[in-house]
């Protein structure tokens, strides 16, 4: 049966997501009432579904590229059709989480595009590990040699499977295993004053409140070792 | 068993052999019985000829992931001697297999006895010449070449060139050209990988060589386009010779337009004059001389058009159906859901829906046409759209090169249908 098992319970839908005034029958487009569905609500639900699919696809150790590309393109299409003023539905996060994730997720569509772009960028690591020499098309048989030393293996270990998924439980997942003394390092110069809780900052949070994307990039570079901290090498390094 | 799910079906060039590959990495080859006057009833039945393990699961230690052993495609080489050769591929590695018969064995060795144990030289008093004696037929498959480490992404197609010296393998972003004799290098002939993966919007979905022109091939994309390339133009065929795309129908536009336009299979006609493409809802025939639209479009299961949202949710919309020509290019065939498959006669414009299932067909019974009811009152033999079983999908079919014999893979069962004997 096509419709069996696909419909979410109406009560769950209404509890979870404000702003969605439709129940699950939007899934069945042959339903006569679908034509009465406000387009924005249907788009929003499809958007959520697509984000879930993207999530799931990127969680695979080796994503199906065709599936991934089609979902991303569909997501972009849905996003483009949604009104610019529409806020993204809030992703449920634990209340004690730093606002880093929230600030990213609550940002505009442009922010989401940047997130999706960076997710796809992680796929670049697949090529790096394979160490297949780039073809020299004009110079005779390019050849594909076997083996080679893996590069950036550390990067992938750190980030886990190629996700770095910003849409998941924010960035906390990435930082869990990391020595947070990095935050205290005086050698790490933050790009914005938001990192230093100053007297004008009324937030009671211990962690830095809001990091913008440039700072995140810098932080990631430090973590993956492309930028070395200026501390003397320890024994056995 | 999941490992028995058939993932590819292919007749060889004479139709004498039929190969299947499955999710467990096995290849099973069927051979057609010789017709004999004694057993008219068993005319042309296919029986198991050889079974072997083509691919094993592998572990890629660099990336910490397992490479599936599932056979994505099998392609036969034309027969040039007594042995048969085929290419089989999983996601990463292509292998050339030799399948040969042994019906004699040498007997009468001097230095070893009949069990193969070495004889004490002191007991040997005479010298004899070993002779070949008949034995029960044994079919053995041996891997002759392994073409590995050339694909970063998942291989979706292999195609043997008409020169019979080269073949190509295509993954999501690249196509490589191989010489059968050389396993440690290949030419990269198509590369659509963008400099930054974040710019990726399109992947290669299928590729095939022209049946007669060894310099020409086509590849299809996830955006519903087909590119025809000529290898004589440049070593890296990033610029196509021809570009086939049908403009989008504005009345049918939806969020899913791109997904349903993604081409899952592309096949040259035997004549080489046409190409056939399969997307989610249709099969299209293109004339090589007309790039702006197909010359024929056949609706496979248009009743699914109003269900795309549900099919997106359960991922069925991503299913990849194959399509095949009959030997004379007059009929085309493709699969659908509920173990249905469809045939379209290009000349009469008639089409038929048939079902591959044990309940509905007994051996030598005639297949009954099926019909899907799309609305209103359902007639007795019709099945309604909501009753279709979407887990029963016919993705892989094959047509004998010259006769009306078809092979249809329904999950882990293989059905072979033939024209009724007069």
């Amino acid at each position: 049966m096509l419709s069996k098992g696909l419909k979410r319970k109406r009560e769950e839908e209404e509890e979870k997501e404000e702003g969605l005034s439709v129940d699950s029958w939007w899934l069945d487009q042959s339903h006569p009432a679908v034509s009465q569905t406000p387009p924005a609500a249907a788009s929003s639900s499809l958007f959520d579904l697509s984000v879930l699919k993207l999530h799931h696809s990127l969680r695979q150790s080796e994503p199906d590229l065709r599936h991934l590309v089609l979902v991303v393109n569909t997501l972009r299409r849905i996003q483009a059709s949604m009104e610019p003023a529409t806020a993204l539905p809030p992703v449920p996060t634990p209340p004690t989480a730093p606002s880093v994730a929230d600030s990213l997720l609550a940002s505009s569509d442009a922010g989401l595009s940047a997130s999706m772009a960076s997710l796809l960028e992680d796929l670049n690591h697949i090529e790096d590990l394979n160490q297949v020499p780039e073809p020299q098309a004009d110079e005779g048989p390019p050849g594909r040699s076997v083996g080679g030393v893996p590069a950036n293996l550390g990067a992938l270990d750190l980030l886990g499977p190629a996700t770095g998924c910003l849409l998941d439980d924010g960035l906390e997942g990435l930082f869990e295993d990391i020595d947070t003394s990095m935050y205290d390092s005086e050698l790490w110069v933050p790009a914005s004053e938001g990192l230093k809780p100053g007297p004008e900052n009324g937030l009671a949070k211990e962690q830095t409140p809001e990091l913008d994307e440039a700072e995140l990039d810098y932080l990631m570079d430090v973590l993956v070792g492309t930028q070395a901290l200026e501390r003397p090498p320890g024994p056995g390094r | 068993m999941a490992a028995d799910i058939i993932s590819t079906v292919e007749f060889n060039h004479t139709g004498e052999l039929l190969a299947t590959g499955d999710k467990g990495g096995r290849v099973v080859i069927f051979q057609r019985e010789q017709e004999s006057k004694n057993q008219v009833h068993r005319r042309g039945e296919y029986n198991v000829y050889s079974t072997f393990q083509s691919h094993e699961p592998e572990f890629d230690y660099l990336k910490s992931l397992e490479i599936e052993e599932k056979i994505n495609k099998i392609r036969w080489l034309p027969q040039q001697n007594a042995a048969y050769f085929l290419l089989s591929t999983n996601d990463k590695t292509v292998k050339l297999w030799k399948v040969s018969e042994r019906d004699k064995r040498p007997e009468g060795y001097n230095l070893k006895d009949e069990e193969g144990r070495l004889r004490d030289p002191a007991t040997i008093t005479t010298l004899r010449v070993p002779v070949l004696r008949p034995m029960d037929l044994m079919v053995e498959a041996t891997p002759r070449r392994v073409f590995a480490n050339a694909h970063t992404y998942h291989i979706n197609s292999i195609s043997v060139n008409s020169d019979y010296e080269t073949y190509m393998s295509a993954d999501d972003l690249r196509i490589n050209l191989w010489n059968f004799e050389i396993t440690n290098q290949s030419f990269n002939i198509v590369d659509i990988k963008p400099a930054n993966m974040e710019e990726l919007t399109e992947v290669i979905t299928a590729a095939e060589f022209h049946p007669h022109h060894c310099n020409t091939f086509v590849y299809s994309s996830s955006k519903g386009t087909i590119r025809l390339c000529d290898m004589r133009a440049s070593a890296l065929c990033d610029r196509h010779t021809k570009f086939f795309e049908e403009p989008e129908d504005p009345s049918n536009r939806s969020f899913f337009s791109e997904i349903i336009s993604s081409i899952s299979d592309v096949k040259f006609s035997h004549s080489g004059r046409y190409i056939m493409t399969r997307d989610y809802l249709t099969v299209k025939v293109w004339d090589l001389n007309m790039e702006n639209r197909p010359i024929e479009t056949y609706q496979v299961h248009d009743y699914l058009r109003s269900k795309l949202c549900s099919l997106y949710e359960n991922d069925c919309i991503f299913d990849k159906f194959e399509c095949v020509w009959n030997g004379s290019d007059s009929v085309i065939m493709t699969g659908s859901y509920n173990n249905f498959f469809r045939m379209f006669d290009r000349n009469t414009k008639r089409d038929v829906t048939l079902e591959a299932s044990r309940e509905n067909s007994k051996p030598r019974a005639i297949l009954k046409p099926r019909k899907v009811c799309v609305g209103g009152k359902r007639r007795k033999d019709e099945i309604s759209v909501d009753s279709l079983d979407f887990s029963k999908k016919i993705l892989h079919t094959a047509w004998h090169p010259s006769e009306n014999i078809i092979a249809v893979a329904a999950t882990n069962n293989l059905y072979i249908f033939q024209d009724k004997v007069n």
Side-chain angles (χ1 to χ4, degrees):
Chain A
M1 284 291 225
L2 186 57
S3 315
K4 262 187 196 168
L6 294 177
K7 298 187 178 185
R8 301 191 197 105
K9 291 206 164 52
R10 183 187 180 127
E11 311 81 69
E12 278 177 21
E13 281 261 314
E14 286 182 339
E15 272 173 49
K16 249 201 294 196
E17 288 157 322
E18 305 168 6
L20 276 186
S21 56
V22 298
D23 66 10
S24 54
W25 44 257
W26 61 262
L27 284 171
D28 183 5
Q29 295 209 345
S30 64
H31 195 289
V34 165
S35 54
Q36 300 160 20
T37 309
S43 298
S44 178
S45 304
L46 259 180
F47 184 90
D48 292 343
L49 175 60
S50 301
V51 166
L52 275 171
K53 284 193 178 298
L54 179 61
H55 229 55
H56 179 73
S57 192
L58 287 168
R59 275 214 168 98
Q60 310 298 315
S61 45
E62 209 174 15
D64 176 348
L65 221 52
R66 172 183 166 262
H67 186 272
L68 183 61
V69 157
L70 289 174
V71 169
V72 167
N73 290 351
T74 303
L75 196 48
R76 285 187 174 130
R77 210 180 260 237
I78 297 168
Q79 188 190 336
S81 77
M82 287 162 74
E83 289 162 2
T86 306
L88 297 178
V91 172
T93 54
T96 54
S99 61
V100 169
D102 289 340
S103 66
L104 280 169
L105 291 169
S107 64
S108 65
D109 293 345
L112 178 66
S113 290
S115 302
M116 285 201 291
S118 68
L119 292 175
L120 286 175
E121 195 180 38
D122 286 336
L123 294 174
N124 281 320
H125 291 301
I126 294 176
E127 186 79 62
D128 294 338
L129 289 179
N130 208 57
Q131 281 301 292
V132 174
E134 288 301 310
Q136 305 296 316
D138 297 326
E139 297 163 28
R144 299 275 186 189
S145 54
V146 178
V149 178
N152 294 332
L153 187 59
L156 217 58
D157 274 348
L158 198 60
L159 294 173
T163 62
C165 193
L166 298 172
L167 299 174
D168 205 347
D169 23 299
L171 291 168
E172 313 98 75
L174 287 175
F175 295 156
E176 271 164 18
D177 299 331
I178 292 162
D179 180 9
T180 55
S181 64
M182 276 189 184
Y183 288 90
D184 304 325
S185 165
E186 58 190 340
L187 298 169
W188 175 42
V189 181
S192 99
E193 58 192 15
L195 284 168
K196 292 183 185 150
E200 67 275 13
N201 190 339
L203 294 170
K205 291 179 181 172
E206 293 175 331
Q207 301 283 13
T208 56
E210 294 188 33
L211 295 169
D212 66 34
E213 293 197 20
E215 288 157 0
L216 283 170
D217 284 345
Y218 181 87
L219 182 60
M220 291 316 305
D221 286 341
V222 166
L223 290 171
V224 303
T226 54
Q227 292 213 31
L229 284 179
E230 292 169 29
R231 46 167 85 133
R237 241 208 90 170
Chain B
M1 275 194 54
D4 293 338
I5 294 173
I6 298 171
S7 46
T8 184
V9 189
E10 187 81 355
F11 280 100
N12 75 339
H13 293 259
T14 60
E16 182 203 353
L17 299 179
L18 173 67
T20 62
D22 68 22
K23 200 159 182 273
R26 266 178 324 219
V27 171
V28 180
I29 301 177
F30 299 84
Q31 183 186 45
R32 195 176 183 195
E33 289 296 324
Q34 298 295 328
E35 294 182 31
S36 78
K37 293 189 178 60
N38 302 337
Q39 299 185 312
V40 182
H41 303 296
R42 300 192 55 191
R43 169 189 173 277
E45 271 189 14
Y46 283 83
N47 297 312
V48 177
Y49 177 67
S50 171
T51 302
F52 58 93
Q53 189 74 31
S54 170
H55 287 69
E56 300 272 6
E58 285 173 52
F59 196 77
D60 183 334
Y61 290 96
L62 295 186
K63 294 188 237 172
S64 269
L65 49 87
E66 193 169 285
I67 300 169
E68 265 199 316
E69 67 275 30
K70 175 168 73 88
I71 307 295
N72 293 337
K73 284 286 179 331
I74 288 174
R75 290 288 183 264
W76 291 93
L77 270 65
Q79 199 174 359
Q80 288 169 313
N81 54 36
Y84 304 103
F85 287 87
L86 61 81
L87 287 174
S88 71
T89 187
N90 67 351
D91 283 339
K92 298 286 185 180
T93 302
V94 185
K95 294 187 185 181
L96 176 69
W97 286 89
K98 175 181 177 183
V99 182
S100 52
E101 295 180 4
R102 190 195 291 260
D103 62 356
K104 296 179 191 50
R105 75 164 162 249
E107 282 178 19
Y109 284 98
N110 292 291
L111 297 176
K112 48 184 180 174
D113 64 20
E114 297 310 314
E115 277 83 46
R117 290 180 301 225
L118 286 175
R119 290 169 70 187
D120 179 0
T123 65
I124 300 171
T125 54
T126 59
L127 198 63
R128 57 186 176 169
V129 177
V131 293
L132 291 173
R133 296 217 185 278
M135 58 178 261
D136 288 339
L137 179 67
M138 196 170 75
V139 181
E140 46 186 19
T142 47
R144 303 295 294 181
R145 303 273 189 276
V146 177
F147 305 92
N149 300 312
H151 285 280
T152 306
Y153 306 100
H154 290 174
I155 297 174
N156 52 57
S157 312
I158 46 176
S159 178
V160 179
N161 204 349
S162 51
D163 64 7
Y164 304 150
E165 290 179 359
T166 57
Y167 76 93
M168 69 163 150
S169 54
D171 68 30
D172 295 314
L173 298 179
R174 298 194 177 102
I175 303 181
N176 295 330
L177 181 72
W178 301 84
N179 182 300
F180 280 110
E181 300 305 316
I182 301 168
T183 58
N184 62 357
Q185 61 182 24
S186 63
F187 281 90
N188 174 245
I189 54 177
V190 174
D191 188 338
I192 66 167
K193 179 176 184 285
N196 286 312
M197 284 295 267
E198 56 198 68
E199 294 157 17
L200 181 67
T201 57
E202 190 175 17
V203 298
I204 296 169
T205 52
E208 195 180 52
F209 269 117
H210 190 282
H212 315 307
H213 305 312
C214 56
N215 51 282
T216 302
F217 65 92
V218 291
Y219 69 91
S220 59
S221 84
S222 55
K223 285 195 167 175
T225 65
I226 306 105
R227 288 169 176 81
L228 184 136
C229 300
D230 186 332
M231 295 195 291
R232 294 171 301 190
S234 73
L236 185 63
C237 299
D238 274 355
R239 275 196 307 230
H240 46 265
T241 305
K242 294 195 189 213
F243 181 77
F244 300 83
E245 186 179 29
E246 183 173 29
E248 192 181 357
D249 176 3
S251 64
N252 271 334
R253 190 174 294 153
S254 77
F255 289 135
F256 310 110
S257 292
E258 182 176 322
I259 300 180
I260 64 169
S261 77
S262 174
I263 291 173
S264 50
D265 196 13
V266 66
K267 292 267 174 46
F268 273 101
S269 62
H270 292 90
S271 64
R273 289 176 51 199
Y274 305 103
I275 45 177
M276 167 168 56
T277 57
R278 174 71 155 97
D279 51 60
Y280 191 61
L281 296 177
T282 72
V283 181
K284 296 182 164 121
V285 176
W286 306 74
D287 186 315
L288 285 190
N289 296 317
M290 187 158 71
E291 298 169 56
N292 59 353
R293 59 179 173 83
I295 56 169
E296 296 154 30
T297 299
Y298 300 94
Q299 302 296 331
V300 181
H301 36 218
D302 200 56
Y303 45 78
L304 296 182
R305 199 177 285 274
S306 59
K307 307 280 186 190
L308 292 180
C309 210
S310 304
L311 294 163
Y312 178 64
E313 175 153 1
N314 65 17
D315 271 348
C316 280
I317 206 175
F318 298 101
D319 285 338
K320 292 183 288 182
F321 293 93
E322 293 170 6
C323 53
V324 289
W325 299 88
N326 75 338
S328 59
D329 299 334
S330 59
V331 183
I332 57 185
M333 174 169 70
T334 189
S336 178
Y337 293 106
N338 209 73
N339 279 349
F340 287 170
F341 58 100
R342 304 262 283 136
M343 285 192 205
F344 302 93
D345 188 316
R346 297 178 61 215
N347 299 325
T348 65
K349 299 304 179 198
R350 285 196 335 220
D351 63 84
V352 68
T353 303
L354 300 168
E355 182 176 359
S357 78
R358 251 187 278 240
E359 296 86 46
N360 291 313
S361 45
K362 297 182 176 50
R364 278 173 278 286
I366 294 172
L367 279 180
K368 203 174 55 173
R370 313 284 283 140
K371 193 151 163 53
V372 176
C373 162
V374 293
K377 211 162 146 63
R378 185 176 74 88
R379 294 215 279 264
K380 195 182 76 135
D381 279 341
E382 290 181 354
I383 181 165
S384 77
V385 182
D386 293 319
S387 306
L388 294 173
D389 188 340
F390 287 84
S391 67
K392 294 186 178 166
K393 39 195 108 179
I394 300 216
L395 305 174
H396 313 286
T397 59
W399 204 309
H400 188 286
S402 52
E403 297 186 36
N404 280 342
I405 304 173
I406 57 174
V408 176
T411 316
N412 44 4
N413 293 313
L414 180 72
Y415 292 83
I416 300 176
F417 301 111
Q418 356 191 3
D419 256 2
K420 59 187 191 295
V421 182
N422 293 326

